[in-house]
Amino acid sequence: MDYPAITGWSREEREALVAAHRDSLAVLLRHSLSWVAAPYGEERLLEAFRFNTLDDAVDWCLTRFATGDLDPAKISPSSRSWRLFTEARFWLTQRESREGYTRKMQWLEAQRQRSNEASPTPLQEGAEQTQDVDVTRLMERLAHTLRKLLARTCPDLVGWWLRATEELRAEWFELPSLPPSQVPASKKTRSVRMHDAQFRFQCLHRALILDSSEAGLPHLAVREWLFQPCSNVPSYQRSEEDIAAALPPTAPRDRRSVQRLRREGLEVLLGRLLKTALAGPDSEQAVALMEWELLRRAVTKTTLTAFNLDEGAAPELRKKAEQLDTLAKALEVVR
């Protein structure tokens, strides 16, 4: 993934970067610190590096970047970008020095090994290790998609996805939570935004968004509408003027045509996700069930409402969403 370059390294420029993009940088830091902590436990890692909470660690890293003595010449060229905020080792080394980082990680590893001394039977161990690897890979894929969602939309949509999947993640594994900057009082509004975020996440997760200029006009329109950086305020969408400006010169650009094109593109994406979901989980393996549960929650009747496709506006999509509800009940998927 390409990260935005950090073009200014003076204290003033670094402070300005943090002030302008604090939420986005915090998301990257939270995930990177969580991955490092996963084998040892978040609380144990935070204690080892003298942090009280994950929020404390993130705040310290951002403050260190903004006000600390950082020499870009000592940072790898590939890390002189927002990628630096995905490199937990860099920040923990900043906290404790290189020697201190090595010593503390060795201690954490020794503690982990001691806690695993009561080993299961070889058969159980093999099955558990396979499942652990699969779940870890799923976590990595989800985190990768979250970074895409952040890069192609705005920080709040990442927060809404995390909020929507909070209960599932608490049962399956732990990913950091990031509350959206604006939480409306209306339950319906919260639900709509969570379903919007889940839908966009799944489109990116399943690589449905094409960057080729040869994509059809409906796809270009929906891509510019929902999958390009946007203002971090509801409804987290680009304007019709922005969409029209991105279309080829020969494309119709009047308001009605733009609305028609973006809706056609949206319905195609919803249809593809619903078709995949209606096929059911790929297998009975835990990870396949997890993936399917995340998908089916992204394409419900509320998702249609989020994009004004309810009230008979898209009867075929609504019918498929209802079929998916029935399938989920029949399968009795346990989160």
Side-chain angles (χ1 to χ4, degrees):
M1 175 180 176
D2 293 331
Y3 292 95
I6 300 174
T7 56
W9 288 89
S10 69
R11 176 167 176 164
E12 292 76 14
E13 289 169 318
R14 286 182 280 130
E15 287 179 338
L17 178 64
V18 171
H21 301 287
R22 187 180 188 89
D23 288 344
S24 301
L25 301 177
V27 169
L28 300 178
L29 283 166
R30 281 173 173 271
H31 280 93
S32 64
L33 292 167
S34 292
W35 295 134
V36 171
Y40 316 109
E42 183 178 294
E43 184 176 343
R44 180 171 285 179
L45 179 125
L46 292 173
E47 182 180 356
F49 285 89
R50 301 178 292 114
F51 295 117
N52 293 322
T53 65
L54 188 59
D55 285 339
D56 289 340
V58 170
D59 287 343
W60 184 90
C61 295
L62 291 173
T63 300
R64 176 69 176 174
F65 175 79
T67 64
D69 184 15
L70 295 182
D71 182 357
K74 296 181 180 179
I75 298 174
S76 167
S78 63
S79 297
R80 295 173 199 165
S81 68
W82 286 25
R83 178 180 175 180
L84 188 65
F85 298 95
T86 72
E87 298 174 354
R89 179 174 180 172
F90 174 86
W91 298 105
L92 296 177
T93 299
Q94 289 284 310
R95 178 76 165 176
E96 296 291 343
S97 79
R98 183 173 299 176
E99 294 77 13
Y101 170 83
T102 300
R103 184 175 64 254
K104 287 177 180 287
M105 294 305 293
Q106 288 174 343
W107 179 83
L108 286 167
E109 180 60 23
Q111 294 294 312
R112 185 187 70 82
Q113 291 181 6
R114 274 197 288 272
S115 67
N116 291 338
E117 284 179 355
S119 301
T121 65
L123 183 60
Q124 291 173 324
E125 187 177 46
E128 289 174 2
Q129 287 178 348
T130 298
Q131 181 165 319
D132 287 346
V133 169
D134 289 343
V135 171
T136 298
R137 288 174 178 168
L138 173 60
M139 292 172 67
E140 291 171 351
R141 292 197 300 274
L142 296 179
H144 179 69
T145 303
L146 276 178
R147 291 193 289 270
K148 282 186 177 180
L149 185 65
L150 174 62
R152 301 195 69 144
T153 58
C154 61
D156 266 12
L157 275 176
V158 173
W160 283 116
W161 185 88
L162 290 168
R163 189 182 182 96
T165 60
E166 188 171 13
E167 290 185 7
L168 290 177
R169 291 182 293 107
E171 292 192 30
W172 296 344
F173 40 72
E174 186 56 38
L175 284 175
S177 293
L178 176 68
S181 61
Q182 303 178 47
V183 180
S186 165
K187 181 178 179 180
K188 179 180 179 181
T189 302
R190 293 196 300 270
S191 179
V192 162
R193 291 181 187 167
M194 287 189 287
H195 281 79
D196 178 359
Q198 290 177 97
F199 163 72
R200 296 199 219 187
F201 179 95
Q202 284 296 324
C203 288
L204 295 171
H205 193 57
R206 296 174 184 274
L208 300 187
I209 306 306
L210 306 177
D211 288 320
S212 170
S213 59
E214 297 178 359
L217 289 180
H219 189 84
L220 291 176
V222 75
R223 185 186 72 194
E224 294 298 322
W225 182 33
L226 300 178
F227 299 97
Q228 293 287 11
C230 59
S231 299
N232 196 41
V233 293
S235 58
Y236 314 118
Q237 299 170 359
R238 285 162 63 87
S239 69
E240 292 169 0
E241 291 76 15
D242 289 333
I243 299 170
L247 294 176
T250 56
R253 296 168 183 269
D254 60 280
R255 182 179 181 184
R256 181 169 294 182
S257 294
V258 169
Q259 291 175 342
R260 174 180 56 79
L261 287 171
R262 74 183 190 186
R263 173 172 167 163
E264 289 176 3
L266 173 64
E267 290 185 2
V268 169
L269 292 176
L270 284 165
R272 292 182 65 181
L273 290 178
L274 280 164
K275 181 179 179 180
T276 301
L278 284 168
D282 292 338
S283 71
E284 294 184 2
Q285 296 295 318
V287 168
L289 294 174
M290 292 176 185
E291 287 270 26
W292 185 79
E293 182 71 2
L294 288 170
L295 170 60
R296 74 103 181 165
R297 287 174 176 236
V299 281
T300 69
K301 288 181 285 187
T302 305
T303 310
L304 302 183
T305 299
F307 295 104
N308 298 317
L309 292 176
D310 52 358
E311 302 298 332
E316 285 301 314
L317 292 177
R318 184 177 181 85
K319 180 180 178 181
K320 290 179 180 178
E322 291 172 347
Q323 291 172 347
L324 184 57
D325 285 343
T326 302
L327 176 61
K329 293 173 183 176
L331 291 175
E332 295 181 348
V333 174
V334 179
R335 298 198 304 268

